[in-house]
Amino acid sequence: MNNFVVTIRCTAVAIYYKGYVDLKICDSQARDIHGRSHPQVFSSSFVVSMEVSVNNSNATSKFPQQHSDDGVKALSKFLLIAIAIVLANGLVFVLFYRCPRLRTSSNYVLLSLAVCDFSIGAVAIPFFIIYNFAILPKELHYGIYASHILLAVSGAYHILVITALKYLATVRPLKHYVVTKRLVLKSLLGVWIISTVFAVIPLVWKDTEASQRWQTIHTAVCIVAVFLIPYIFMTYAFIAMFRTITKRQRPSLVNKRPRKQKKNRSDRKCISVFATMAIIFACCWLPYFIIMLLVTVEIKVQLFNVIQAFMVIRYITSFVNPLLYTFFKRDFWSAIGNMMQNKKNFSSQRSQNESLNLTRRLRSSVNSRRSTILESEEEGSRMIRGGKMTFGGEPSYTSRV
């Protein structure tokens, strides 16, 4: 009997011959779209032993419990990433709370993006870790998929809205004045609604027979609608913005308009930050969606190590985004400087107040001691003037000569 390969539930399973009456089924690569041992197919933690009788065609199988190392591995991989994401985006929330000057129309888009990235570190990653400990029901793996789709689509469209606003401000400045805070908030609401629709749609066909076909269509639509079309516009917008700024920096206008030159440098730096955000997001999430598409169409390639790598890489953008626009965008960086300066002034003012309070307490102590001494001297002088003094506890009377 020779070794052969059979497909069970669209998962390649290696079957090898053991002895004369035993077969053993073992899958070393079965993973779901998140790279985790799939709860509904055989994984490397499952071994199905089939006792096959030569004279009897009946076979029995037994499924041991899932391996308990998945939760520990997920915790070791993603805990520090989740903490870093929460801290980095928490800084953005603090800046918006402490610095009212940051509450502009364009910065509200960055605030909403920070909410999206913060949710990855505070909700999506902890949910994924807890699920890997096999505490939650197996059916909730659809929730993991939906949450990641929601936040990935939301992040891409936030970057698209940021690019569109900067494009209007740079290339079409007159039209940019029409963009109000109310219009920006409506756009952000639309971003979250569209992202929710993308995330909820796969839950509709999760238990149907054609779920795999619809999953393939959904992943392909995500690649086109979330990456291909938006990035075509963003590529055009970034090229147009850099060309516009380059035209403004003509040698004849450099010395005549120093304030304009300073603004051009600031705009160039801001556009570079947004372009870097878009590139990093595409590098982190686009390969993940491509891998999901390859998995759903059953392309026979070894994707386990690649999936494991991009499970970590996809979260990098949620940590890098707040660092980019807080440390490289001028208004955020000045807000950080002002906050640190205010903290420094507060600490110096506090130390000054403490020193003043100590001085006051010392002065009051000295004054009280001085008043006590003066009162005792006055009492002694009054007793002398009255002719009555005390020596050794016995009163002594003096008389004038």
Side-chain angles (χ1 to χ4, degrees):
M1 183 176 183
N2 298 324
N3 297 342
F4 59 96
V5 176
V6 68
T7 300
I8 297 179
R9 296 186 185 179
C10 303
T11 303
V13 179
I15 300 182
Y16 58 94
Y17 178 67
K18 180 183 178 184
Y20 185 71
V21 294
D22 291 337
L23 291 175
K24 190 175 286 287
I25 301 176
C26 178
D27 178 19
S28 61
Q29 301 294 334
R31 292 293 186 272
D32 64 357
I33 54 178
H34 301 288
R36 180 188 174 278
S37 301
H38 200 286
Q40 294 183 350
V41 298
F42 304 132
S43 71
S44 58
S45 304
F46 289 91
V47 175
V48 183
S49 299
M50 301 180 65
E51 301 293 338
V52 181
S53 176
V54 178
N55 298 322
N56 191 357
S57 60
N58 295 328
T60 60
S61 64
K62 46 186 178 179
F63 296 81
Q65 294 296 321
Q66 189 175 5
H67 218 281
S68 60
D69 293 340
D70 291 338
V72 177
K73 291 179 180 178
L75 184 65
S76 62
K77 286 181 181 178
F78 302 115
L79 180 60
L80 293 180
I81 298 175
I83 294 174
I85 291 173
V86 169
L87 293 178
N89 291 278
L91 175 63
V92 180
F93 300 152
V94 173
L95 290 176
F96 264 85
Y97 177 75
R98 298 289 297 273
C99 303
R101 290 185 301 174
L102 289 178
R103 299 167 192 171
T104 61
S105 299
S106 58
N107 285 341
Y108 271 106
V109 184
L110 295 178
L111 177 63
S112 183
L113 177 61
V115 173
C116 175
D117 293 332
F118 182 86
S119 300
I120 290 180
V123 178
I125 296 179
F127 183 30
F128 180 75
I129 294 174
I130 294 173
Y131 178 77
N132 275 271
F133 277 102
I135 300 175
L136 303 176
K138 295 179 180 180
E139 291 75 12
L140 289 180
H141 74 279
Y142 290 104
I144 297 176
Y145 176 71
S147 63
H148 283 77
I149 292 295
L150 168 66
L151 298 175
V153 175
S154 177
Y157 284 147
H158 274 96
I159 297 175
L160 176 63
V161 173
I162 293 170
T163 305
L165 292 177
K166 193 60 182 178
Y167 172 80
L168 291 177
T170 306
V171 181
R172 312 278 183 178
L174 296 179
K175 291 185 178 181
H176 183 258
Y177 288 106
V178 183
V179 179
T180 60
K181 187 180 295 186
R182 185 176 180 180
L183 180 61
V184 171
L185 294 178
K186 288 182 178 179
S187 301
L188 294 178
L189 180 61
V191 167
W192 284 105
I193 291 175
I194 294 173
S195 304
T196 304
V197 171
F198 270 98
V200 171
I201 285 178
L203 302 179
V204 176
W205 60 69
K206 65 178 183 178
D207 295 326
T208 60
E209 296 180 356
S211 61
Q212 184 180 357
R213 181 182 62 187
W214 287 111
Q215 183 67 42
T216 304
I217 296 173
H218 179 263
T219 305
V221 170
C222 286
I223 293 175
V224 174
V226 178
F227 291 98
L228 183 59
I229 296 176
Y231 272 81
I232 289 175
F233 167 75
M234 285 191 281
T235 303
Y236 163 76
F238 287 129
I239 294 174
M241 286 187 284
F242 279 117
R243 284 181 177 177
T244 303
I245 294 175
T246 303
K247 290 179 181 179
R248 293 175 185 172
Q249 293 179 333
R250 288 180 294 182
S252 59
L253 299 177
V254 171
N255 296 325
K256 294 182 180 179
R257 299 179 181 178
R259 183 177 298 179
K260 191 74 173 178
Q261 184 184 10
K262 184 177 180 180
K263 184 179 183 302
N264 289 337
R265 287 199 301 267
S266 177
D267 288 341
R268 181 181 289 273
K269 187 176 181 180
C270 184
I271 295 170
S272 300
V273 168
F274 293 154
T276 305
M277 290 170 56
I279 293 172
I280 292 176
F281 185 88
C283 293
C284 291
W285 280 101
L286 180 57
Y288 176 75
F289 279 90
I290 294 175
I291 291 171
M292 286 199 304
L293 182 62
L294 296 178
V295 170
T296 54
V297 297
E298 302 179 41
I299 295 181
K300 300 297 187 297
V301 292
Q302 297 295 328
L303 297 176
F304 176 69
N305 294 329
V306 180
I307 291 175
Q308 291 292 324
F310 278 100
M311 282 177 63
V312 180
I313 293 175
R314 63 182 174 176
Y315 297 130
I316 293 178
T317 181
S318 299
F319 173 71
V320 174
N321 283 342
L323 297 183
L324 284 175
Y325 56 76
T326 52
F327 290 101
F328 294 98
K329 199 167 178 290
R330 187 179 62 178
D331 51 353
F332 277 87
W333 179 246
S334 66
I336 293 176
N338 293 334
M339 189 173 66
M340 298 300 293
Q341 186 65 31
N342 292 335
K343 186 177 180 180
K344 184 178 180 181
N345 294 336
F346 176 77
S347 61
S348 62
Q349 185 68 26
R350 183 178 179 182
S351 62
Q352 291 178 1
N353 293 335
E354 290 178 354
S355 62
L356 288 175
N357 292 332
L358 180 60
T359 304
R360 289 173 183 173
R361 288 196 298 268
L362 290 175
R363 286 180 180 178
S364 62
S365 177
V366 171
N367 292 332
S368 63
R369 184 173 297 180
R370 184 180 297 175
S371 62
T372 303
I373 293 173
L374 291 177
E375 288 178 358
S376 62
E377 290 179 354
E378 291 178 358
E379 183 68 22
S381 62
R382 283 198 300 268
M383 292 176 64
I384 292 173
R385 285 195 299 269
K388 185 178 180 180
M389 299 181 63
T390 303
F391 295 96
E394 296 180 358
S396 173
Y397 297 92
T398 60
S399 60
R400 296 180 182 179
V401 179

